[in-house]
Amino acid sequence: MDAHAQTTPPNTAATARPVDPFNVSGIAVDASADSAASARPLALAEGQRRAFTTLLRRLTLPDDAGRLPRPNEAVLNEVVGGFGIDEERASATRYIGKISVQFRADAVRRLLQDSKLPYSETPSRPVLLVPLWQSVAGPKLWEADNPWREAWLKRPDAEGGLVPLSIAPAMANGPSVERLLGSPEELRALARRGGFEDVLVLAATLQQADPGNIRIDIQMQHQGEAAFLDRIETFTATGGTQEETLLTAAIEIARRIETRWKYATVIDLEKQGQLSVAAGFAGLAEWNRLRSALAAVPIVRKVEVLQVSHRDAQILLDFYGETEQLSTALAQRDVSLTLRDGFWVMRSRKP
């Protein structure tokens, strides 16, 4: 496989990072052979196959899991752009490590389109996630020993997707549980202080703590503009230990959030639309931001500028999917698309 290896430090940050949909990190590799030198290429090849499967699951809908292309050598040679070694160690006959794999976006798109698979590659804006733990011992919200926060921080890197989740850190003077849950404005203020537009409180309540039979109920409260976060269902997690149950719950809830987002932004090549839009702007800088935003939205197929003046422009947009999906995708680039008096109007949300 055509790849360029480089050693990079492991990621331990809990905050949201800019999302590259075509980079898969945190893939564990492990292989044995006559020597560590012989085991290394076996492990790296298997890691790239697993990264490819992780990538396709990230971009496609759960309903299409059985139709995903298989990671044979020819396919991997086409789509893998390079890889990085995040961790590695070896014995006489064994190689163990973690790798990150960078895929070629255009090649992956062609593969999915040829396979007639709807997909999404639009990252959402980062979401602030506040884990609240509740048990008979009392609530834990900002405490350093909050087990629900610890579970979120232990999620494997490879579980990352299109929705960047930033876990609220422990702090000494955070708002009380009563203030946080009783005041939507308190939640919004907490989000704004961190530079977020959306905040999601996940309240995990220990309902049953019998050894080997743990049950935890999880409820969610959202404040912000991301409508897909309003439709995440209440969730009950069960397991043998509290730590195991919480980690499983964190992974499952993150996957549900991802699925909701993908359904809101999926690119279905069989659905195409065209929209005439009046783009308003205060000057050249804002007009350039609008053009850059349109160029960066994957579902926008073509932009035709019909007329432009010093204050506005009339443009024709060809796009995949529905108008609501276009509006959602543009919002992630801080561009609003609204219907006013029967006409579509577009404007940058940044001054």
Side-chain angles (χ1 to χ4, degrees):
M1 282 159 274
D2 179 17
H4 312 288
Q6 62 184 43
T7 302
T8 56
N11 171 60
T12 57
T15 55
R17 300 158 300 189
V19 171
D20 177 355
F22 297 95
N23 181 277
V24 178
S25 61
I27 297 294
V29 298
D30 186 347
S32 299
D34 294 339
S35 67
S38 299
R40 185 177 187 271
L42 298 177
L44 297 179
E46 175 60 24
Q48 291 177 54
R49 286 191 287 270
R50 291 181 55 211
F52 173 77
T53 300
T54 299
L55 173 73
L56 294 194
R57 288 176 177 169
R58 171 188 293 174
L59 301 180
T60 60
L61 301 174
D63 293 345
D64 293 323
R67 300 199 297 123
L68 300 182
R70 296 187 178 277
N72 58 50
E73 187 172 359
V75 168
L76 292 176
N77 283 336
E78 182 70 22
V79 300
V80 173
F83 68 90
I85 299 173
D86 304 327
E87 302 175 16
E88 63 178 347
R89 54 193 175 93
S91 66
T93 59
R94 189 179 180 190
Y95 180 89
I96 303 173
K98 284 187 177 182
I99 67 171
S100 300
V101 182
Q102 183 67 50
F103 292 90
R104 298 186 181 102
D106 288 345
V108 173
R109 292 185 189 110
R110 284 196 301 271
L111 179 66
L112 293 172
Q113 292 167 8
D114 290 346
S115 302
K116 300 189 183 305
L117 285 166
Y119 66 95
S120 174
E121 60 173 279
T122 302
S124 80
R125 285 190 298 253
V127 176
L128 178 62
L129 192 152
V130 181
L132 167 62
W133 172 246
Q134 301 179 114
S135 69
V136 292
K140 290 185 182 293
L141 181 57
W142 306 115
E143 291 82 355
D145 61 345
N146 179 342
W148 188 210
R149 180 189 297 109
E150 292 172 4
W152 280 93
L153 296 179
K154 289 178 181 176
R155 279 193 313 136
D157 283 349
E159 292 294 333
L162 298 174
V163 182
L165 299 173
S166 181
I167 314 305
M171 63 178 76
N173 300 310
S176 67
V177 173
E178 292 77 12
R179 283 179 58 195
L180 198 67
L181 299 184
S183 170
E185 181 52 40
E186 187 75 40
L187 266 180
R188 287 192 290 267
L190 177 70
R192 286 195 298 268
R193 285 195 294 272
F196 297 90
E197 296 195 20
D198 290 274
V199 56
L200 188 64
V201 178
L202 297 178
T205 304
L206 181 63
Q207 298 288 6
Q208 187 167 310
D210 299 335
N213 189 16
I214 303 295
R215 183 167 70 86
I216 299 170
D217 290 343
I218 300 163
Q219 294 183 321
M220 304 165 215
Q221 181 174 334
H222 166 242
Q223 284 295 327
E225 297 185 7
F228 75 100
L229 291 173
D230 293 329
R231 299 190 294 270
I232 307 298
E233 305 89 348
T234 298
F235 177 68
T236 297
T238 58
T241 68
Q242 178 177 294
E243 182 179 7
E244 165 201 329
T245 306
L246 287 173
L247 179 58
T248 300
I251 292 172
E252 176 59 25
I253 290 171
R255 286 177 178 170
R256 292 184 181 198
I257 291 172
E258 286 285 317
T259 298
R260 289 290 189 184
W261 175 247
K262 284 189 285 189
Y263 275 110
T265 59
V266 68
I267 298 174
D268 188 343
L269 299 182
E270 295 182 358
K271 294 181 180 178
Q272 299 183 17
Q274 188 178 74
L275 210 61
S276 178
V277 179
F281 46 85
L284 181 60
E286 188 174 345
W287 171 231
N288 286 335
R289 281 199 300 272
L290 287 173
R291 294 169 62 190
S292 296
L294 289 170
V297 173
I299 68 172
V300 175
R301 296 173 50 238
K302 181 182 176 183
V303 180
E304 183 179 355
V305 180
L306 302 177
Q307 184 178 345
V308 63
S309 73
H310 67 287
R311 294 176 52 189
D312 54 43
Q314 192 67 33
I315 59 178
L316 194 63
L317 298 180
D318 291 340
F319 60 95
Y320 295 112
E322 308 289 348
T323 305
E324 182 179 357
Q325 291 175 305
L326 176 63
S327 178
T328 298
L330 286 171
Q332 310 317 302
R333 299 284 173 176
D334 292 309
V335 173
S336 66
L337 179 66
T338 55
L339 188 62
R340 295 181 185 174
D341 300 324
F343 297 95
W344 287 101
V345 178
M346 183 174 69
R347 187 134 205 161
S348 174
R349 297 171 61 189
K350 291 184 176 180

PDB file of all heavy atoms in Angstrom, residues 37-52:
ATOM      1  N   ALA A  37      10.248  -7.544  13.193  1.00  0.00           N
ATOM      2  CA  ALA A  37      10.360  -6.885  11.888  1.00  0.00           C
ATOM      3  C   ALA A  37       9.393  -7.490  10.879  1.00  0.00           C
ATOM      4  O   ALA A  37       8.849  -6.786  10.025  1.00  0.00           O
ATOM      5  CB  ALA A  37      11.796  -6.980  11.378  1.00  0.00           C
ATOM      6  N   SER A  38       9.156  -8.794  10.969  1.00  0.00           N
ATOM      7  CA  SER A  38       8.198  -9.441  10.071  1.00  0.00           C
ATOM      8  C   SER A  38       6.761  -9.183  10.500  1.00  0.00           C
ATOM      9  O   SER A  38       5.854  -9.118   9.669  1.00  0.00           O
ATOM     10  CB  SER A  38       8.457 -10.957  10.030  1.00  0.00           C
ATOM     11  OG  SER A  38       9.753 -11.241   9.536  1.00  0.00           O
ATOM     12  N   ALA A  39       6.553  -9.015  11.825  1.00  0.00           N
ATOM     13  CA  ALA A  39       5.199  -8.794  12.329  1.00  0.00           C
ATOM     14  C   ALA A  39       4.705  -7.384  12.022  1.00  0.00           C
ATOM     15  O   ALA A  39       3.503  -7.158  11.848  1.00  0.00           O
ATOM     16  CB  ALA A  39       5.167  -9.045  13.834  1.00  0.00           C
ATOM     17  N   ARG A  40       5.646  -6.424  11.949  1.00  0.00           N
ATOM     18  CA  ARG A  40       5.257  -5.025  11.782  1.00  0.00           C
ATOM     19  C   ARG A  40       4.417  -4.781  10.522  1.00  0.00           C
ATOM     20  O   ARG A  40       3.334  -4.192  10.599  1.00  0.00           O
ATOM     21  CB  ARG A  40       6.502  -4.133  11.779  1.00  0.00           C
ATOM     22  CG  ARG A  40       6.218  -2.644  11.734  1.00  0.00           C
ATOM     23  CD  ARG A  40       7.529  -1.854  11.816  1.00  0.00           C
ATOM     24  NE  ARG A  40       7.305  -0.412  11.948  1.00  0.00           N
ATOM     25  CZ  ARG A  40       7.183   0.424  10.942  1.00  0.00           C
ATOM     26  NH1 ARG A  40       7.248  -0.034   9.681  1.00  0.00           N
ATOM     27  NH2 ARG A  40       6.984   1.709  11.156  1.00  0.00           N
ATOM     28  N   PRO A  41       4.859  -5.197   9.320  1.00  0.00           N
ATOM     29  CA  PRO A  41       4.025  -4.932   8.136  1.00  0.00           C
ATOM     30  C   PRO A  41       2.686  -5.666   8.181  1.00  0.00           C
ATOM     31  O   PRO A  41       1.695  -5.160   7.646  1.00  0.00           O
ATOM     32  CB  PRO A  41       4.894  -5.413   6.965  1.00  0.00           C
ATOM     33  CG  PRO A  41       5.926  -6.310   7.570  1.00  0.00           C
ATOM     34  CD  PRO A  41       6.157  -5.807   8.947  1.00  0.00           C
ATOM     35  N   LEU A  42       2.629  -6.828   8.829  1.00  0.00           N
ATOM     36  CA  LEU A  42       1.351  -7.530   8.963  1.00  0.00           C
ATOM     37  C   LEU A  42       0.390  -6.717   9.814  1.00  0.00           C
ATOM     38  O   LEU A  42      -0.793  -6.574   9.481  1.00  0.00           O
ATOM     39  CB  LEU A  42       1.575  -8.904   9.600  1.00  0.00           C
ATOM     40  CG  LEU A  42       2.460  -9.900   8.836  1.00  0.00           C
ATOM     41  CD1 LEU A  42       2.622 -11.184   9.642  1.00  0.00           C
ATOM     42  CD2 LEU A  42       1.847 -10.206   7.470  1.00  0.00           C
ATOM     43  N   ALA A  43       0.907  -6.166  10.921  1.00  0.00           N
ATOM     44  CA  ALA A  43       0.068  -5.371  11.811  1.00  0.00           C
ATOM     45  C   ALA A  43      -0.409  -4.096  11.119  1.00  0.00           C
ATOM     46  O   ALA A  43      -1.587  -3.715  11.231  1.00  0.00           O
ATOM     47  CB  ALA A  43       0.838  -5.023  13.083  1.00  0.00           C
ATOM     48  N   LEU A  44       0.483  -3.420  10.406  1.00  0.00           N
ATOM     49  CA  LEU A  44       0.116  -2.169   9.748  1.00  0.00           C
ATOM     50  C   LEU A  44      -0.904  -2.402   8.635  1.00  0.00           C
ATOM     51  O   LEU A  44      -1.826  -1.602   8.443  1.00  0.00           O
ATOM     52  CB  LEU A  44       1.363  -1.477   9.200  1.00  0.00           C
ATOM     53  CG  LEU A  44       2.393  -1.041  10.253  1.00  0.00           C
ATOM     54  CD1 LEU A  44       3.598  -0.396   9.590  1.00  0.00           C
ATOM     55  CD2 LEU A  44       1.760  -0.094  11.258  1.00  0.00           C
ATOM     56  N   ALA A  45      -0.748  -3.500   7.902  1.00  0.00           N
ATOM     57  CA  ALA A  45      -1.712  -3.807   6.842  1.00  0.00           C
ATOM     58  C   ALA A  45      -3.093  -4.092   7.423  1.00  0.00           C
ATOM     59  O   ALA A  45      -4.115  -3.609   6.921  1.00  0.00           O
ATOM     60  CB  ALA A  45      -1.222  -4.997   6.021  1.00  0.00           C
ATOM     61  N   GLU A  46      -3.134  -4.866   8.519  1.00  0.00           N
ATOM     62  CA  GLU A  46      -4.412  -5.160   9.151  1.00  0.00           C
ATOM     63  C   GLU A  46      -5.018  -3.891   9.741  1.00  0.00           C
ATOM     64  O   GLU A  46      -6.236  -3.674   9.679  1.00  0.00           O
ATOM     65  CB  GLU A  46      -4.222  -6.213  10.248  1.00  0.00           C
ATOM     66  CG  GLU A  46      -5.478  -6.520  11.056  1.00  0.00           C
ATOM     67  CD  GLU A  46      -6.631  -7.042  10.198  1.00  0.00           C
ATOM     68  OE1 GLU A  46      -6.380  -7.597   9.102  1.00  0.00           O
ATOM     69  OE2 GLU A  46      -7.793  -6.867  10.622  1.00  0.00           O
ATOM     70  N   GLY A  47      -4.169  -3.026  10.290  1.00  0.00           N
ATOM     71  CA  GLY A  47      -4.661  -1.771  10.836  1.00  0.00           C
ATOM     72  C   GLY A  47      -5.303  -0.895   9.773  1.00  0.00           C
ATOM     73  O   GLY A  47      -6.334  -0.248  10.022  1.00  0.00           O
ATOM     74  N   GLN A  48      -4.726  -0.849   8.593  1.00  0.00           N
ATOM     75  CA  GLN A  48      -5.305  -0.048   7.516  1.00  0.00           C
ATOM     76  C   GLN A  48      -6.632  -0.628   7.040  1.00  0.00           C
ATOM     77  O   GLN A  48      -7.552   0.125   6.693  1.00  0.00           O
ATOM     78  CB  GLN A  48      -4.299   0.061   6.371  1.00  0.00           C
ATOM     79  CG  GLN A  48      -3.094   0.918   6.743  1.00  0.00           C
ATOM     80  CD  GLN A  48      -2.063   0.973   5.641  1.00  0.00           C
ATOM     81  OE1 GLN A  48      -2.360   1.305   4.510  1.00  0.00           O
ATOM     82  NE2 GLN A  48      -0.822   0.647   5.988  1.00  0.00           N
ATOM     83  N   ARG A  49      -6.747  -1.955   7.054  1.00  0.00           N
ATOM     84  CA  ARG A  49      -8.033  -2.565   6.703  1.00  0.00           C
ATOM     85  C   ARG A  49      -9.106  -2.188   7.732  1.00  0.00           C
ATOM     86  O   ARG A  49     -10.240  -1.849   7.375  1.00  0.00           O
ATOM     87  CB  ARG A  49      -7.888  -4.089   6.610  1.00  0.00           C
ATOM     88  CG  ARG A  49      -7.154  -4.571   5.369  1.00  0.00           C
ATOM     89  CD  ARG A  49      -7.274  -6.070   5.194  1.00  0.00           C
ATOM     90  NE  ARG A  49      -6.468  -6.796   6.164  1.00  0.00           N
ATOM     91  CZ  ARG A  49      -5.195  -7.150   5.969  1.00  0.00           C
ATOM     92  NH1 ARG A  49      -4.583  -6.832   4.844  1.00  0.00           N
ATOM     93  NH2 ARG A  49      -4.535  -7.821   6.892  1.00  0.00           N
ATOM     94  N   ARG A  50      -8.731  -2.244   9.012  1.00  0.00           N
ATOM     95  CA  ARG A  50      -9.695  -1.901  10.061  1.00  0.00           C
ATOM     96  C   ARG A  50     -10.045  -0.411  10.012  1.00  0.00           C
ATOM     97  O   ARG A  50     -11.193  -0.016  10.242  1.00  0.00           O
ATOM     98  CB  ARG A  50      -9.124  -2.281  11.426  1.00  0.00           C
ATOM     99  CG  ARG A  50      -9.014  -3.782  11.635  1.00  0.00           C
ATOM    100  CD  ARG A  50      -8.473  -4.104  13.017  1.00  0.00           C
ATOM    101  NE  ARG A  50      -9.271  -3.466  14.041  1.00  0.00           N
ATOM    102  CZ  ARG A  50      -8.797  -3.060  15.211  1.00  0.00           C
ATOM    103  NH1 ARG A  50      -7.515  -3.199  15.480  1.00  0.00           N
ATOM    104  NH2 ARG A  50      -9.590  -2.502  16.097  1.00  0.00           N
ATOM    105  N   ALA A  51      -9.069   0.431   9.715  1.00  0.00           N
ATOM    106  CA  ALA A  51      -9.331   1.866   9.599  1.00  0.00           C
ATOM    107  C   ALA A  51     -10.290   2.145   8.447  1.00  0.00           C
ATOM    108  O   ALA A  51     -11.163   3.019   8.545  1.00  0.00           O
ATOM    109  CB  ALA A  51      -8.026   2.627   9.396  1.00  0.00           C
ATOM    110  N   PHE A  52     -10.138   1.415   7.348  1.00  0.00           N
ATOM    111  CA  PHE A  52     -11.022   1.589   6.195  1.00  0.00           C
ATOM    112  C   PHE A  52     -12.465   1.257   6.579  1.00  0.00           C
ATOM    113  O   PHE A  52     -13.400   2.007   6.255  1.00  0.00           O
ATOM    114  CB  PHE A  52     -10.556   0.686   5.055  1.00  0.00           C
ATOM    115  CG  PHE A  52     -11.467   0.653   3.864  1.00  0.00           C
ATOM    116  CD1 PHE A  52     -11.484   1.695   2.955  1.00  0.00           C
ATOM    117  CD2 PHE A  52     -12.316  -0.430   3.653  1.00  0.00           C
ATOM    118  CE1 PHE A  52     -12.333   1.667   1.849  1.00  0.00           C
ATOM    119  CE2 PHE A  52     -13.159  -0.470   2.562  1.00  0.00           C
ATOM    120  CZ  PHE A  52     -13.173   0.579   1.658  1.00  0.00           C
TER     121      PHE A  52
END
